[in-house]
Amino acid sequence: MTSVFHLEFVFLVSLFCLSFAFVDSEDGTTLLEIKKSFKDVDNVLYDWTDTPSSDYCVWRGVTCDNVTFNVVALNLSGLNLDGEISTAIGKLKDLVTIDLRGNRLSGQIPDEIGDCSSLKSLDLSFNELYGDIPFSISKLRQLEFLVLKNNQLIGPIPSTLSQIPNLKVLDLSQNKLSGEIPRLIYWNEVLQYLGLRGNNLVGTLSPDMCQLTGLWYFDVRNNSLTGNIPQNIGNCTAFQVLDLSYNQLTGEIPFNIGFLQVATLSLQGNRLSGKIPSVIGLMQALAVLDLSCNKLSGPIPPILGNLTYTEKLYLHGNQLTGSIPPELGNMTKLHYLELNDNHLTGLIPPELGKLTELFDLNVANNHLEGPIPENLSSCTNLNSLNVHGNKLNGTIPPAFETLESMTYLNLSSNDIKGFIAIELSRIGNLDTLDISNNKISGSIPSSLGDLEHLLKLNLSRNNLTGVIPAEFGNLRSVLEIDLSNNHLSGIIPRELAQLQDLYSL
């Protein structure tokens, strides 16, 4: 009896092993079919062979289930693979993850991919895939992550994608998709991330977008959307990033947008009009506020000074009037303050000197008057200062010598008088110094020749006298020097012949 039991046990074990051998053979054969559709220019799949000793579960990019030995993950990202995705991929029924991002794959996404019924994550981004998004993807009931960004996909977004019950991330950015955003997409209760930027989408933003109660990331940047921002936008309470920029949206910014607790609000590059709603100053979570390049008018609300966590404030390229609120000096986390190309008047508030983390300050092309505040020198992290095209007067603050991080200084086209402060030569990292078209007099300080990183020097259209300093021959990196329309005398120093990169003098 014992020997019979032993024989039966051996027989069952043999069947068990044979069944796995069959599975091994099926999935291994399928993987080799998939390989045939690739052009493996770097031979990175050298171990994908059909030799008897080859175990496909240890092939590069392949992960198998520990019990069944079926293929559950295929990760071939960033391997410089050319060619196409084989229709055979649909035979790998147990695949949970497909990651082919960052290759050079072309052709269409095969319909058969909809047969991978266990799939939870599909990432085909950063390839050269074209054609439509196959409707068969909607059959993937387990799918949670669908990332097809940065390809050349065309056609509409399939409305049937809304039928995928567990879809959390949908990223179709940077393709050539057209048509409208399917309204059914907005009724997916579990969707958390919707990335549609950089396509050719048209139509309007539906009020239904606020039905996405779990959505935190909504990005439709750089499409051709028209109409108004939905009046109920304040009901999208889960949003953390809202990017509607570079479309053709019109009308005013809804007042109740202030109810959002987003970290990023990007509305730039549209045709929005009216005033900046003061209620935006209550959006305490804002890190980035970009309302630039619209048709906004009226004053900058002083209440924006309450945004003490905001790092980037972009209001440039509008029709804003009035003065720069001193309250902006309370935005102590601010790195970027862009107010250029408006119709602002009055003084540059000295309170901006409290912005010690400021990296970029641009107030160019307004109607600002008065002196440049000396205490801007307290902004010790300042990398770029542009006050071009205003009516500023007074002199160049000598205290600017403390701005050791400064690489770009543009004071041009104002009414600045006095001498060129020799202290400017101590801003050792300057690559651009433009103080042209002012009323600066006196001689050119020879110490400007110490600015070894300088690429562009423009002192033109002033009242400078004297000679061109021979020390300019030390500006070994300089590409452009403009000293025209002054009252300089003497000869051009021969030392300037040493400036091998100089193309304009």
Side-chain angles (χ1 to χ4, degrees):
M1 186 69 180
T2 303
S3 60
V4 172
F5 175 78
H6 178 73
L7 286 171
E8 288 179 350
F9 178 76
V10 170
F11 178 70
L12 287 171
V13 168
S14 300
L15 282 178
F16 190 65
C17 293
L18 281 171
S19 69
F20 280 148
F22 176 74
V23 170
D24 187 280
S25 173
E26 288 293 306
D27 278 10
T29 301
T30 299
L31 288 171
L32 292 174
E33 280 187 66
I34 292 170
K35 181 183 178 181
K36 285 179 183 176
S37 293
F38 292 150
K39 294 177 183 176
D40 184 9
V41 292
D42 296 329
N43 196 30
V44 291
L45 304 182
Y46 64 90
D47 57 348
W48 287 38
T49 63
D50 56 358
T51 57
S53 61
S54 182
D55 177 4
Y56 71 84
C57 286
V58 298
W59 289 355
R60 182 169 191 169
V62 176
T63 303
C64 293
D65 183 273
N66 290 331
V67 177
T68 65
F69 303 111
N70 291 340
V71 176
V72 293
L74 191 60
N75 183 351
L76 302 177
S77 62
L79 297 182
N80 198 30
L81 295 172
D82 211 326
E84 300 185 355
I85 302 172
S86 170
T87 58
I89 201 161
K91 298 177 183 178
L92 298 175
K93 307 292 185 184
D94 293 313
L95 268 179
V96 176
T97 300
I98 298 176
D99 187 352
L100 302 178
R101 72 182 187 274
N103 286 290
R104 296 189 298 165
L105 300 172
S106 56
Q108 301 190 8
I109 301 173
D111 284 329
E112 289 78 3
I113 211 159
D115 296 331
C116 300
S117 53
S118 300
L119 206 59
K120 289 187 177 181
S121 179
L122 175 60
D123 191 343
L124 307 179
S125 60
F126 295 97
N127 280 287
E128 299 168 16
L129 301 170
Y130 53 80
D132 294 346
I133 298 173
F135 282 91
S136 62
I137 288 180
S138 304
K139 297 191 301 181
L140 301 172
R141 313 301 288 178
Q142 307 301 317
L143 196 64
E144 297 180 6
F145 303 93
L146 177 58
V147 183
L148 306 178
K149 65 182 176 181
N150 292 80
N151 281 286
Q152 299 174 32
L153 300 172
I154 61 172
I157 300 171
S159 60
T160 52
L161 293 181
S162 62
Q163 299 171 9
I164 305 175
N166 298 307
L167 192 62
K168 296 177 181 177
V169 172
L170 176 61
D171 196 345
L172 309 178
S173 303
Q174 303 299 137
N175 280 286
K176 299 177 181 178
L177 300 172
S178 56
E180 299 189 6
I181 302 171
R183 290 185 68 168
L184 288 174
I185 291 287
Y186 297 136
W187 292 84
N188 185 323
E189 295 181 355
V190 298
L191 194 64
Q192 299 174 8
Y193 184 109
L194 181 59
L196 302 177
R197 72 160 57 191
N199 283 288
N200 302 316
L201 300 173
V202 296
T204 59
L205 289 169
S206 169
D208 292 346
M209 62 190 285
C210 292
Q211 298 295 329
L212 293 164
T213 54
L215 195 78
W216 67 269
Y217 187 97
F218 186 92
D219 183 1
V220 293
R221 177 189 182 106
N222 196 18
N223 280 283
S224 299
L225 301 174
T226 55
N228 297 343
I229 299 173
Q231 289 298 313
N232 66 335
I233 190 71
N235 296 336
C236 300
T237 52
F239 284 8
Q240 295 178 33
V241 173
L242 176 60
D243 194 337
L244 311 181
S245 60
Y246 300 105
N247 282 281
Q248 299 167 29
L249 301 175
T250 53
E252 299 188 358
I253 301 172
F255 178 82
N256 74 356
I257 203 167
F259 298 145
L260 297 178
Q261 289 302 311
V262 292
T264 297
L265 178 60
S266 298
L267 306 180
Q268 73 270 24
N270 283 287
R271 300 171 186 172
L272 300 171
S273 56
K275 296 182 178 181
I276 299 173
S278 295
V279 72
I280 288 180
L282 303 177
M283 300 172 69
Q284 291 295 310
L286 269 181
V288 177
L289 175 59
D290 196 340
L291 308 179
S292 63
C293 302
N294 280 288
K295 298 179 179 179
L296 299 172
S297 57
I300 299 172
I303 196 174
L304 294 187
N306 288 356
L307 300 176
T308 53
Y309 292 99
T310 301
E311 297 178 0
K312 299 177 181 179
L313 177 59
Y314 301 121
L315 303 179
H316 57 277
N318 282 289
Q319 300 165 16
L320 300 174
T321 55
S323 58
I324 300 173
E327 289 85 352
L328 297 188
N330 297 327
M331 303 176 70
T332 52
K333 292 285 195 297
L334 211 56
H335 295 166
Y336 293 85
L337 179 57
E338 309 277 344
L339 306 177
N340 50 291
D341 297 284
N342 281 288
H343 306 304
L344 300 172
T345 55
L347 307 176
I348 298 175
E351 287 82 358
L352 298 186
K354 296 189 293 183
L355 303 176
T356 55
E357 296 188 23
L358 198 62
F359 184 82
D360 189 340
L361 175 59
N362 193 340
V363 294
N365 298 316
N366 282 288
H367 308 296
L368 301 171
E369 300 174 328
I372 301 171
E374 183 138 353
N375 64 350
L376 286 182
S377 60
S378 300
C379 304
T380 51
N381 289 305
L382 200 60
N383 179 271
S384 174
L385 174 61
N386 190 350
V387 299
H388 162 85
N390 283 284
K391 301 175 183 177
L392 300 171
N393 53 38
T395 59
I396 302 172
F400 276 11
E401 67 176 326
T402 61
L403 299 174
E404 297 177 358
S405 299
M406 180 92 75
T407 63
Y408 181 92
L409 180 59
N410 190 342
L411 311 180
S412 63
S413 299
N414 283 285
D415 294 321
I416 298 170
K417 301 181 177 66
F419 304 126
I420 299 175
I422 60 171
E423 287 83 0
L424 293 183
S425 62
R426 296 175 189 147
I427 310 176
N429 290 308
L430 268 183
D431 62 44
T432 299
L433 176 59
D434 189 345
I435 54 178
S436 63
N437 197 22
N438 279 288
K439 297 177 180 177
I440 295 170
S441 57
S443 59
I444 300 173
S446 60
S447 57
L448 290 184
D450 296 336
L451 296 172
E452 59 181 349
H453 299 294
L454 206 61
L455 301 175
K456 177 182 177 181
L457 175 63
N458 193 343
L459 309 180
S460 66
R461 300 191 301 281
N462 280 289
N463 300 316
L464 297 171
T465 56
V467 298
I468 300 173
E471 287 80 359
F472 276 13
N474 298 327
L475 301 174
R476 299 300 171 87
S477 301
V478 78
L479 303 174
E480 181 181 342
I481 298 176
D482 190 347
L483 308 177
S484 62
N485 295 293
N486 281 288
H487 306 295
L488 299 173
S489 57
I491 61 172
I492 297 175
R494 68 172 185 269
E495 286 83 357
L496 267 60
Q498 305 171 30
L499 304 178
Q500 298 180 355
D501 296 326
L502 185 67
Y503 67 82
S504 177
L505 176 60

